[in-house]
Amino acid sequence: MYRIGIDIGGTFTDLVLVDDSGAVSFGKTPSNPEDQSIGVMTGLSMMAERVGLSLDALLAETDRIVHGTTVATNALLERKGARVGLLTTEGHRDVLEMREGLKPERYNLRLPRQAALIPRHLRLGVRERLRHTGEVEVALDTASLDAAIDALKDANVEAVAVCYLHAYANAAHEQATRARLAEKLPDVYVSLSSEVLPHIKEYERVSTTAVNAYVGPVLERYLSQLETRLRDAGYSGPALITLSHGGVTPIVEAIRMAAGTVLSGPAGGLAGARHASDMLDVGQMITFDMGGTSSDISLIVDGEATLSADRSVAGEKIALSSLDIITLGAGGGSIAWANSGGLLEVGPHSAGAVPGPACYGRGGTEATVTDANVALGYLDPSSFLGGSDNLDLAAAHTALDKLGEQLGIEQIAAAEGVFRVVNTQMAEGIRLATVRRGVDPRRFALLGFGGAAGLHVTSLARILDLKRVIVPRVASVLSAWGMLTTDLRYEVTRTRIGEVSDLDRNEVRALFDELQGEAEAAVSGWFDGQIRAERSADMRYGEQIFEIDVDLRELDFAADDLLAKMKTAFEARHEQLYTYALPDREPVLVNARVAAIGELSAPPTEPPIDGGGDVAPMGTRSIYLEKWVDAAIYAFADLKAGQSISGPAIVEADTTTVLLLPGDTAQVTDMGWLDIAVGK
């Protein structure tokens, strides 16, 4: 039987196929921005051909498909989501627009205000009111509700977000509203804040609920279409969707919690990096995923990835639990341009899949990072994607000539400038994830993956003074590979505010037990395998306004010193994140959180490759490193375990290329990965 991981990026759709022996096959096919399912089905046909099967035969022998999608992300970024109406407590319709009272750039007096996701005329107040305890202050007024629903019906909304004040403490009014919507607007997508984010903090709750309603119908159309195409092609197993927290869920749940898919693809990459950390026994790792349109950066600390509930995507707050990932608009397709001062900038705009970089020969005319890499000799135009899609070197030169004229420099200087500028930008992104959080990046190994990362990781390591770089054999498709390492995951949370020392440990224990029962019941409805629970809490010091996620998995909830151990866990986490803790201050519990994990079959393991004897280079090629030099060219797939390669050298695979600079030494691991000691 097979398992298939699928990750749709802005330029390519990546696919990984793993059989029962652990053998991995993978490939890329161009993404289709108009209908991503076309790229998925094309890729599946390609993978079937590679293993010598028809598409229906492959799908008949596949027991799991795990999919990361950018549909919700793109809908939010491009403002192409559903037409949404908001029903909220009377007098609170403008919370979505007031946000938190802060600007993204507080000292930029000319910063234009970002338009609210839901226009004001579609944000309607309903007469009702709950106290923070959940007690009803003003009963839900049916006439007021009906009037608001009728107005939304006249406006032809596709979705309705419902967010009443303090609904996290009592969902009765929101549930009654959903029942009324089902009668009067049976075909609209409904998103309740008491289900999407049953937390204190009104803005986070209404924003997350609005995002969920905005992207939900778009995601529902795509996933329904994809599911139909898979069934028609002969697939009868489960199709699971990767969520922002790194777990997977069935399609029906992904549609219900659509806002949880906005970091679907990057989450797969970090899940793969976490699995790689276990396989390599490298606990401290900076993950660097460079694709066609963006780069994603995160940290693995002591073998674990960090979760956060403080995320904004496209300027919209999404307070759902998600992996802590920093995304930069820097990828292989990022466009290089001269600003008004005549200085070179790269990104954030991308050539994407269509038309793509100029060297793709699909009509692109602007110079991109990929064009620079071709002109510098790092990419072989005749072997791109294994030779199935040759690059147009002349078109790259033409685009770089145009850029050079704007900058007043020669073509090769323009190409080198693009390479250096994008590296500087990505290095700053890594500093943002490390140095600015009090973390010394020099203690970490740099894991490079994504189709474009291999050409840049050794340069980034030098900028940041890192000594070790790791490039997996599956680097170009690690996100899709990583999706096969994940388990089913369902989270439930509940607000319970109080200083830890003032809480009743029996009430705390009962609260977590109740949440665990709810979460496990949900997962048990999806499959009948082993389920485990992970407990955590959102906590802060009393004077702080933002919480941090505190892992409580190691705590004995039956112990008499439970509350003291919660305080200790919080202090350890605070010190890990910010390098200090305040033992004389009492932490505050804000939200209790339990995740139920449905353990799927064993994740893929890279089988060992052959060793014994070094493989000679295929030849040499001139590459530009401040001057033209000859670099040995190696085939990634032919390398032997234990082999050592010294730079300058190029290691080529069908879907990625790795650049070793002078002084670098790459050791080939038993799995065929490159473990690079970075030179000076």
Side-chain angles (χ1 to χ4, degrees):
M1 296 297 288
Y2 296 99
R3 287 170 286 155
I4 300 174
I6 304 169
D7 175 40
I8 299 179
T11 307
F12 290 102
T13 294
D14 300 340
L15 297 99
V16 170
L17 184 147
V18 180
D19 65 20
D20 289 336
S21 71
V24 176
S25 301
F26 54 88
K28 289 176 175 282
T29 186
S31 296
N32 188 311
E34 300 302 320
D35 183 354
Q36 292 187 356
S37 65
I38 293 176
V40 171
M41 300 310 295
T42 300
L44 288 172
S45 296
M46 174 186 69
M47 298 307 295
E49 184 177 343
R50 289 191 177 183
V51 296
L53 296 172
S54 63
L55 176 58
D56 60 341
L58 171 65
L59 293 177
E61 295 184 29
T62 298
D63 62 9
R64 189 197 317 166
I65 291 178
V66 185
H67 178 28
T69 173
T70 56
V71 168
T73 316
N74 293 342
L76 196 56
L77 290 171
E78 299 171 8
R79 284 296 195 268
K80 293 182 179 178
R83 182 174 175 82
V84 182
L86 172 66
L87 298 179
T88 189
T89 304
E90 196 172 54
H92 289 251
R93 66 189 293 199
D94 292 322
V95 169
L96 196 62
E97 198 148 8
M98 292 187 294
R99 298 177 180 266
E100 295 165 301
L102 300 173
K103 298 189 298 182
E105 301 173 33
R106 64 184 64 187
Y107 300 115
N108 184 351
L109 301 181
R110 297 184 179 181
L111 183 70
R113 184 180 65 181
Q114 179 167 312
L117 204 60
I118 304 174
R120 194 170 194 269
H121 72 279
L122 295 179
R123 305 195 303 262
L124 305 178
V126 175
R127 194 169 302 114
E128 67 83 44
R129 186 66 177 249
L130 298 171
R131 292 180 179 269
H132 71 281
T133 59
E135 180 184 354
V136 176
E137 175 76 11
V138 177
L140 180 64
D141 186 286
T142 304
S144 172
L145 176 61
D146 284 347
I149 293 176
D150 289 341
L152 295 181
K153 183 177 182 179
D154 292 341
N156 296 315
V157 298
E158 300 171 81
V160 177
V162 183
C163 186
Y164 293 144
L165 193 64
H166 302 307
Y168 63 88
N170 182 351
H173 286 183
E174 290 195 350
Q175 291 171 349
T177 298
R178 175 164 57 192
R180 197 63 174 156
L181 284 165
E183 295 175 9
K184 299 175 74 69
L185 289 174
D187 297 326
V188 302
Y189 181 99
V190 177
S191 182
L192 304 185
S193 74
S194 54
E195 294 180 349
V196 174
L197 192 74
H199 290 187
I200 195 171
K201 292 190 176 180
E202 187 179 10
Y203 170 65
E204 282 87 343
R205 201 155 44 84
V206 69
S207 176
T208 306
T209 306
V211 169
N212 198 70
Y214 187 74
V215 302
V218 181
L219 185 67
E220 182 175 26
R221 284 193 292 271
Y222 166 70
L223 291 180
S224 298
Q225 183 179 49
L226 176 64
E227 189 171 34
T228 298
R229 288 188 170 180
L230 288 172
R231 301 299 182 221
D232 290 346
Y235 180 63
S236 58
L240 303 175
I241 308 302
T242 305
L243 298 180
S244 301
H245 52 48
V248 297
T249 194
I251 282 179
V252 63
E253 178 64 15
I255 292 171
R256 186 184 74 86
M257 289 292 288
T261 69
V262 294
L263 292 176
S264 178
L270 190 48
R274 185 169 50 193
H275 185 52
S277 172
D278 292 338
M279 294 170 61
L280 297 166
D281 195 24
V282 179
Q284 317 303 320
M285 189 178 286
I286 299 168
T287 70
F288 170 62
D289 176 6
M290 184 178 180
T293 57
S294 63
S295 294
D296 299 307
I297 298 161
S298 193
L299 291 182
I300 302 289
V301 179
D302 297 332
E304 295 289 340
T306 301
L307 288 169
S308 171
D310 184 28
R311 297 286 310 191
S312 292
V313 177
E316 303 298 335
K317 191 67 168 284
I318 304 174
L320 297 172
S321 179
S322 64
L323 291 168
D324 190 8
I325 300 170
I326 293 173
T327 299
L328 307 175
S334 294
I335 295 172
W337 52 287
N339 65 20
S340 58
L343 298 178
L344 174 63
E345 297 197 33
V346 180
H349 304 295
S350 173
V354 180
C359 60
Y360 282 12
R362 299 174 188 157
T365 59
E366 302 296 327
T368 67
V369 174
T370 299
D371 293 308
N373 285 329
V374 173
L376 293 168
Y378 305 157
L379 287 174
D380 182 356
S382 65
S383 64
F384 189 65
L385 291 181
S388 63
D389 190 6
N390 292 344
L391 300 178
D392 189 337
L393 179 60
H397 285 166
T398 300
L400 289 163
D401 281 335
K402 176 183 172 183
L403 177 65
E405 290 175 6
Q406 295 171 352
L407 298 170
I409 57 178
E410 297 295 323
Q411 175 200 114
I412 193 65
E416 185 181 32
V418 172
F419 185 78
R420 289 185 172 182
V421 167
V422 76
N423 285 342
T424 301
Q425 292 176 183
M426 294 184 297
E428 184 58 29
I430 293 175
R431 290 192 183 100
L432 184 64
T434 55
V435 176
R436 295 193 185 184
R437 297 180 179 182
V439 175
D440 184 352
R442 293 172 297 183
R443 298 190 296 107
F444 290 71
L446 180 62
L447 181 74
F449 58 99
L455 292 175
H456 298 267
V457 282
T458 52
S459 297
L460 289 177
R462 279 171 167 75
I463 294 172
L464 297 162
D465 198 23
L466 307 182
K467 304 304 182 187
R468 186 180 185 185
V469 168
I470 299 167
V471 181
R473 190 175 67 90
V474 292
S476 64
V477 293
L478 193 85
S479 291
W481 181 80
M483 290 170 190
L484 297 177
T485 72
T486 58
D487 292 318
L488 288 163
R489 185 183 181 98
Y490 183 86
E491 288 193 358
V492 291
T493 59
R494 189 169 302 164
T495 295
R496 173 63 174 93
I497 299 177
E499 289 191 355
V500 170
S501 62
D502 293 337
L503 298 175
D504 183 312
R505 68 172 182 270
N506 292 321
E507 290 183 4
V508 172
R509 184 182 303 121
L511 171 61
F512 276 93
D513 287 346
E514 182 181 346
L515 294 178
Q516 181 170 330
E518 181 181 338
E520 289 178 344
V523 175
S524 64
W526 300 337
F527 90 133
D528 57 2
Q530 184 70 30
I531 299 175
R532 72 178 190 276
E534 295 182 352
R535 297 183 175 191
S536 62
D538 297 331
M539 301 174 68
R540 58 175 168 79
Y541 285 119
E543 298 81 2
Q544 295 175 328
I545 59 174
F546 297 109
E547 297 80 38
I548 61 174
D549 180 69
V550 181
D551 187 352
L552 304 179
R553 286 179 295 179
E554 301 301 320
L555 269 62
D556 179 3
F557 275 73
D560 291 339
D561 62 349
L562 170 62
L563 300 181
K565 291 293 179 61
M566 288 180 65
K567 181 177 185 293
T568 301
F570 168 77
E571 290 169 350
R573 178 64 173 151
H574 199 280
E575 188 160 2
Q576 182 186 55
L577 290 175
Y578 305 115
T579 72
Y580 77 96
L582 303 172
D584 59 330
R585 300 288 182 89
E586 194 65 31
V588 175
L589 171 65
V590 178
N591 298 311
R593 188 189 307 274
V594 176
I597 313 296
E599 298 180 2
L600 300 174
S601 56
T605 57
E606 288 279 272
I609 64 170
D610 293 336
D614 291 351
V615 173
M618 299 184 294
T620 61
R621 184 164 74 239
S622 291
I623 64 174
Y624 194 82
L625 299 173
E626 298 183 350
K627 62 179 181 179
W628 290 103
V629 299
D630 288 334
I633 310 299
Y634 293 86
F636 210 149
D638 294 341
L639 299 179
K640 300 294 185 181
Q643 181 171 353
S644 182
I645 302 172
S646 298
I650 297 283
V651 181
E652 293 182 340
D654 287 353
T655 55
T656 196
T657 300
V658 182
L659 170 65
L660 301 180
L661 298 173
D664 294 342
T665 302
Q667 196 77 16
V668 183
T669 72
D670 291 342
M671 298 180 296
W673 296 16
L674 298 181
D675 194 341
I676 304 169
V678 180
K680 297 293 186 182

